[in-house]
Amino acid sequence: MKENLYTHKSIRTHSGQYVNVFEPDIDTITIEDIAHALSRQPRFGGHLPVEYSVARHSIACAGNMRNNEMKLIALLHDATEAYLIDLPKPIKNEMKEYRDVEDRLAVVIAKKFGIRYPFPQIVHDIDSAMLVVEWENVFLKKHSLWARFRYWFDHHFQKRKFLRMYYDLQLTKNKTLIWNS
Protein backbone atom coordinates (compact mmCIF):
# COMPACT_ATOMS: atom_id res chain seq x y z
CA MET A 1 0.00 0.00 0.00
CA LYS A 2 1.21 3.49 -0.80
CA GLU A 3 2.29 5.55 2.22
CA ASN A 4 -0.40 8.14 2.70
CA LEU A 5 -1.19 10.44 5.59
CA TYR A 6 -4.88 10.51 4.64
CA THR A 7 -5.79 6.88 4.02
CA HIS A 8 -9.59 6.73 4.15
CA LYS A 9 -10.95 5.56 7.54
CA SER A 10 -7.54 4.21 8.52
CA ILE A 11 -4.61 4.89 10.77
CA ARG A 12 -1.01 3.91 10.11
CA THR A 13 0.44 1.97 12.99
CA HIS A 14 3.98 1.78 14.35
CA SER A 15 4.66 -1.35 12.27
CA GLY A 16 3.44 0.31 9.07
CA GLN A 17 0.04 -1.39 8.91
CA TYR A 18 -2.95 0.65 7.78
CA VAL A 19 -5.85 -0.29 10.04
CA ASN A 20 -9.38 0.66 9.05
CA VAL A 21 -11.00 0.88 12.46
CA PHE A 22 -14.49 1.08 10.95
CA GLU A 23 -14.09 -2.16 8.95
CA PRO A 24 -11.19 -3.89 10.72
CA ASP A 25 -9.23 -6.58 8.93
CA ILE A 26 -7.83 -9.28 11.22
CA ASP A 27 -4.59 -9.38 9.21
CA THR A 28 -3.75 -5.75 10.06
CA ILE A 29 -3.94 -6.26 13.83
CA THR A 30 -0.62 -7.11 15.55
CA ILE A 31 0.34 -7.63 19.17
CA GLU A 32 3.44 -5.52 18.62
CA ASP A 33 1.34 -2.52 17.52
CA ILE A 34 -0.99 -3.01 20.46
CA ALA A 35 1.90 -3.18 22.96
CA HIS A 36 3.62 -0.19 21.39
CA ALA A 37 0.55 2.06 21.34
CA LEU A 38 -0.77 1.08 24.77
CA SER A 39 2.65 1.67 26.34
CA ARG A 40 2.45 5.28 25.14
CA GLN A 41 -1.27 5.82 25.80
CA PRO A 42 -1.91 7.60 29.11
CA ARG A 43 -4.69 6.66 31.51
CA PHE A 44 -7.11 9.32 32.79
CA GLY A 45 -6.79 11.33 29.57
CA GLY A 46 -3.17 12.10 30.45
CA HIS A 47 -4.13 14.17 33.52
CA LEU A 48 -1.95 12.25 35.96
CA PRO A 49 0.94 13.57 38.05
CA VAL A 50 3.15 10.78 36.60
CA GLU A 51 3.20 8.77 33.39
CA TYR A 52 0.88 5.81 33.71
CA SER A 53 -0.10 3.98 30.56
CA VAL A 54 -2.90 1.74 29.40
CA ALA A 55 -0.28 -1.02 28.98
CA ARG A 56 0.65 -0.72 32.67
CA HIS A 57 -3.04 -0.86 33.60
CA SER A 58 -3.58 -3.93 31.40
CA ILE A 59 -0.56 -5.72 32.90
CA ALA A 60 -1.89 -4.98 36.40
CA CYS A 61 -5.35 -6.29 35.48
CA ALA A 62 -3.85 -9.47 34.06
CA GLY A 63 -1.70 -9.90 37.15
CA ASN A 64 -4.84 -10.03 39.28
CA MET A 65 -6.37 -12.95 37.39
CA ARG A 66 -6.09 -16.54 38.60
CA ASN A 67 -5.90 -18.51 35.36
CA ASN A 68 -4.08 -17.94 32.11
CA GLU A 69 -7.19 -17.62 29.95
CA MET A 70 -8.47 -14.75 32.10
CA LYS A 71 -4.97 -13.23 32.28
CA LEU A 72 -4.81 -13.07 28.48
CA ILE A 73 -8.29 -11.56 28.24
CA ALA A 74 -7.42 -9.00 30.92
CA LEU A 75 -4.14 -8.16 29.20
CA LEU A 76 -6.00 -7.48 25.95
CA HIS A 77 -9.21 -5.97 27.36
CA ASP A 78 -8.19 -2.45 26.27
CA ALA A 79 -6.46 -3.49 23.02
CA THR A 80 -8.96 -1.45 20.98
CA GLU A 81 -7.45 1.66 22.54
CA ALA A 82 -4.25 0.99 20.61
CA TYR A 83 -6.21 2.00 17.53
CA LEU A 84 -8.94 4.29 18.93
CA ILE A 85 -7.24 5.93 21.98
CA ASP A 86 -8.21 5.72 25.63
CA LEU A 87 -11.17 7.95 26.32
CA PRO A 88 -11.99 8.59 29.98
CA LYS A 89 -15.12 6.64 30.91
CA PRO A 90 -17.38 9.68 31.56
CA ILE A 91 -16.73 10.81 27.97
CA LYS A 92 -16.83 7.36 26.38
CA ASN A 93 -20.17 6.59 28.04
CA GLU A 94 -21.75 9.53 26.18
CA MET A 95 -20.41 8.52 22.74
CA LYS A 96 -22.52 5.67 21.37
CA GLU A 97 -20.94 5.73 17.90
CA TYR A 98 -17.47 5.43 19.44
CA ARG A 99 -18.60 2.48 21.55
CA ASP A 100 -20.09 0.80 18.45
CA VAL A 101 -16.82 1.20 16.52
CA GLU A 102 -14.89 -0.04 19.56
CA ASP A 103 -17.18 -3.06 19.88
CA ARG A 104 -16.70 -4.08 16.22
CA LEU A 105 -12.94 -3.71 16.58
CA ALA A 106 -12.98 -5.73 19.84
CA VAL A 107 -14.70 -8.62 18.03
CA VAL A 108 -11.89 -8.72 15.44
CA ILE A 109 -9.16 -8.42 18.08
CA ALA A 110 -10.73 -11.21 20.15
CA LYS A 111 -10.87 -13.45 17.09
CA LYS A 112 -7.25 -12.62 16.18
CA PHE A 113 -5.93 -13.57 19.61
CA GLY A 114 -8.37 -16.37 20.43
CA ILE A 115 -10.02 -14.78 23.45
CA ARG A 116 -13.66 -14.58 24.51
CA TYR A 117 -15.70 -11.52 23.69
CA PRO A 118 -17.79 -10.10 25.22
CA PHE A 119 -15.40 -10.33 28.12
CA PRO A 120 -16.37 -12.33 31.21
CA GLN A 121 -17.69 -10.29 34.13
CA ILE A 122 -14.56 -10.96 36.21
CA VAL A 123 -12.51 -8.94 33.69
CA HIS A 124 -14.88 -5.98 34.07
CA ASP A 125 -14.74 -6.35 37.86
CA ILE A 126 -10.91 -6.33 37.92
CA ASP A 127 -10.85 -3.40 35.47
CA SER A 128 -13.15 -1.41 37.78
CA ALA A 129 -11.15 -2.35 40.87
CA MET A 130 -7.91 -1.27 39.17
CA LEU A 131 -9.53 2.05 38.24
CA VAL A 132 -10.09 2.73 41.95
CA VAL A 133 -6.55 1.61 42.89
CA GLU A 134 -5.05 3.81 40.15
CA TRP A 135 -7.22 6.76 41.13
CA GLU A 136 -6.11 6.59 44.75
CA ASN A 137 -2.47 5.61 44.26
CA VAL A 138 -1.45 7.24 41.00
CA PHE A 139 -3.83 10.17 40.59
CA LEU A 140 -4.27 11.18 44.24
CA LYS A 141 -0.84 9.81 45.32
CA LYS A 142 -2.22 8.40 48.57
CA HIS A 143 0.55 5.83 48.84
CA SER A 144 4.21 6.67 48.37
CA LEU A 145 4.97 3.06 47.40
CA TRP A 146 4.18 3.87 43.75
CA ALA A 147 7.01 6.39 43.60
CA ARG A 148 9.50 3.58 44.25
CA PHE A 149 8.61 1.90 40.98
CA ARG A 150 9.59 4.65 38.54
CA TYR A 151 10.78 2.09 35.98
CA TRP A 152 7.15 1.09 35.65
CA PHE A 153 6.47 4.47 34.09
CA ASP A 154 8.98 3.99 31.26
CA HIS A 155 7.09 3.13 28.07
CA HIS A 156 9.92 0.94 26.73
CA PHE A 157 9.81 -1.18 29.89
CA GLN A 158 6.01 -1.40 29.74
CA LYS A 159 6.04 -2.45 26.09
CA ARG A 160 8.57 -5.21 26.80
CA LYS A 161 6.65 -6.39 29.88
CA PHE A 162 3.34 -6.40 27.96
CA LEU A 163 4.87 -8.44 25.12
CA ARG A 164 6.66 -10.81 27.50
CA MET A 165 3.41 -11.46 29.38
CA TYR A 166 1.54 -12.01 26.11
CA TYR A 167 4.12 -14.44 24.70
CA ASP A 168 4.40 -16.31 28.01
CA LEU A 169 0.62 -16.73 28.11
CA GLN A 170 0.53 -17.87 24.48
CA LEU A 171 3.33 -20.36 25.13
CA THR A 172 1.44 -21.79 28.10
CA LYS A 173 -1.76 -21.91 26.02
CA ASN A 174 0.01 -23.75 23.20
CA LYS A 175 1.61 -26.26 25.59
CA THR A 176 -1.81 -26.94 27.11
CA LEU A 177 -3.28 -27.53 23.64
CA ILE A 178 -0.48 -29.97 22.80
CA TRP A 179 -0.86 -31.89 26.06
CA ASN A 180 -4.63 -32.10 25.65
CA SER A 181 -4.44 -33.33 22.04
Side-chain angles (χ1 to χ4, degrees), residues 53-141:
S53 73
V54 176
R56 174 65 185 101
H57 163 78
S58 297
I59 293 164
C61 287
N64 281 286
M65 293 296 176
R66 291 183 184 240
N67 71 56
N68 288 344
E69 179 192 12
M70 290 300 115
K71 284 181 183 196
L72 184 58
I73 293 170
L75 184 67
L76 296 173
H77 81 280
D78 282 335
T80 57
E81 295 173 5
Y83 305 98
L84 297 175
I85 73 167
D86 178 35
L87 286 179
K89 201 167 284 297
I91 298 168
K92 186 187 288 189
N93 288 344
E94 299 298 318
M95 300 179 74
K96 183 179 178 342
E97 287 181 40
Y98 176 93
R99 292 191 321 271
D100 291 344
V101 170
E102 183 178 45
D103 187 61
R104 286 192 302 273
L105 183 56
V107 168
V108 172
I109 290 171
K111 185 176 179 183
K112 170 81 177 200
F113 298 107
I115 61 174
R116 286 194 263 163
Y117 186 80
F119 302 133
Q121 186 58 47
I122 187 68
V123 174
H124 297 290
D125 294 345
I126 291 293
D127 186 33
S128 296
M130 284 308 304
L131 177 66
V132 172
V133 168
E134 292 161 354
W135 171 257
E136 291 179 354
N137 294 293
V138 180
F139 202 96
L140 301 179
K141 289 183 159 184

Side-chain angles (χ1 to χ4, degrees), residues 11-30:
I11 63 165
R12 184 184 186 280
T13 65
H14 178 70
S15 70
Q17 291 287 334
Y18 284 85
V19 177
N20 179 336
V21 297
F22 300 98
E23 298 169 16
D25 174 355
I26 199 167
D27 294 329
T28 63
I29 305 296
T30 71

Side-chain angles (χ1 to χ4, degrees), residues 31 55-65 68 70-72 74-76 152 158-172:
I31 195 63
R56 174 65 185 101
H57 163 78
S58 297
I59 293 164
C61 287
N64 281 286
M65 293 296 176
N68 288 344
M70 290 300 115
K71 284 181 183 196
L72 184 58
L75 184 67
L76 296 173
W152 264 113
Q158 292 175 39
K159 179 179 177 179
R160 285 190 308 273
K161 185 147 178 78
F162 186 98
L163 286 170
R164 186 176 321 119
M165 182 177 269
Y166 170 79
Y167 287 120
D168 286 349
L169 289 167
Q170 287 294 39
L171 183 62
T172 303

